[in-house]
Amino acid sequence: MTRIQDLFENNKAWSKRQMESDPDFFNRLTTLQKPKFLWIGCSDSRVPANQILGLKPGEVFVHRNVANLVVHSDLNCLSVLQYAVEVLQVEHIIVCGHYGCGGIGAACSNQQFGLIDNWLRSIKDTYDRYRSEIEAIPDQASRHDRMCELNVLTQVMNVCHTTIVQNAWARGQKLEVHGLVYRLTDGLLHDLAVHITSLDQIEDIYKLGRLDRRKTDAAAG
Ligand code: CO
């Protein structure tokens, strides 16, 4: 698959197949998208959310970036998160990493790759936080695998530390945050058994009270 023309031909064939199998498919999606899931995954071309999850268009809202990071100053990711939680009212947020992630590998090396090193910088903080655990693992491949998992766990908590998710819980909205890792070699998802469903599972320092405009104004002044 190398020519752009092939893509248009693929697209026409796909559209035809959809119409044949479900004539109302596009009409339904035009009027409403009501996905239950937000997927935050790696940009890696081998990790396509819909196909891995077996979901159709309209069933998962997707944000992808290199190494599936949730950075608190990233307006792009935060906007996706806010829209998914507050407007679409997704019930599950899935942070999905993958073993063999090049972004994790780059961040765990001392090589410079250019601008992207700045994006990947926070992964070094995760390495540093878990350094004794990581460096106790004897082989390089297993160290890398564990870093992919620890990165996901860190991003799951970053999602939970946002005002967006905490305000949703404060409103009583049902919202679960999950951490998964995809294995390229067998196509299977591994559940990291982290399922955050409420503020009780958050470290105290990251808990935020309800927004109070008067106090906010006072603090700003
Ligand atoms: Co990756």
Side-chain angles (χ1 to χ4, degrees):
M1 185 58 55
T2 51
R3 296 183 319 138
I4 196 80
Q5 193 53 38
D6 294 334
L7 304 183
F8 287 112
E9 285 164 19
N10 279 354
N11 169 250
K12 275 191 199 138
W14 172 77
S15 167
K16 190 162 175 278
R17 280 198 307 275
Q18 289 289 335
M19 295 287 263
E20 282 165 2
S21 66
D22 181 0
D24 196 40
F25 180 74
F26 292 110
N27 278 340
R28 269 201 323 274
L29 286 182
T30 307
T31 52
L32 181 71
Q33 69 156 338
K34 194 79 184 99
K36 284 191 162 41
F37 306 97
L38 165 63
W39 168 278
I40 299 174
C42 186
S43 295
D44 192 303
S45 63
R46 300 164 295 180
V47 194
N50 284 72
Q51 280 157 285
I52 288 172
L53 299 173
L55 293 177
K56 298 191 196 87
E59 293 182 329
V60 57
F61 200 62
V62 173
H63 177 76
R64 290 168 69 179
N65 61 47
V66 175
N68 41 271
L69 299 177
V70 177
V71 176
H72 291 300
S73 52
D74 177 11
L75 194 58
N76 185 349
C77 184
L78 293 179
S79 300
V80 169
L81 187 61
Q82 190 225 331
Y83 190 80
V85 171
E86 294 180 8
V87 181
L88 299 174
Q89 305 230 320
V90 298
E91 291 173 16
H92 301 273
I93 299 170
I94 297 164
V95 177
C96 185
H98 66 103
Y99 297 116
C101 182
I104 301 289
C108 294
S109 79
N110 296 109
Q111 199 179 331
Q112 195 180 137
F113 294 88
L115 174 78
I116 196 168
D117 295 313
N118 299 285
W119 174 249
L120 299 174
R121 225 306 305 272
S122 67
I123 300 170
K124 288 184 187 288
D125 296 338
T126 302
Y127 182 99
D128 196 42
R129 190 180 318 138
Y130 295 101
R131 184 148 41 101
S132 54
E133 180 188 334
I134 295 289
E135 294 181 357
I137 300 170
D139 71 292
Q140 172 73 28
S142 304
R143 273 204 297 276
H144 180 88
D145 283 356
R146 185 59 184 147
M147 260 310 290
C148 291
E149 294 172 352
L150 291 170
N151 179 54
V152 167
L153 296 175
T154 302
Q155 308 318 316
V156 164
M157 297 320 294
N158 284 348
V159 168
C160 297
H161 296 162
T162 62
T163 51
I164 300 158
V165 168
Q166 295 198 22
N167 287 339
W169 284 331
R171 288 192 300 272
Q173 190 174 331
K174 181 177 177 289
L175 185 61
E176 301 182 6
V177 188
H178 314 272
L180 311 179
V181 185
Y182 177 74
R183 195 181 288 281
L184 295 170
T185 53
D186 60 11
L188 293 175
L189 287 169
H190 295 258
D191 188 352
L192 293 179
V194 51
H195 305 281
I196 313 290
T197 57
S198 75
L199 206 56
D200 302 336
Q201 292 163 274
I202 306 299
E203 290 284 345
D204 278 348
I205 186 63
Y206 296 106
K207 289 178 183 166
L208 298 162
R210 280 174 184 272
L211 180 64
D212 182 329
R213 290 285 173 203
R214 286 162 305 174
K215 283 184 186 162
T216 308
D217 290 347

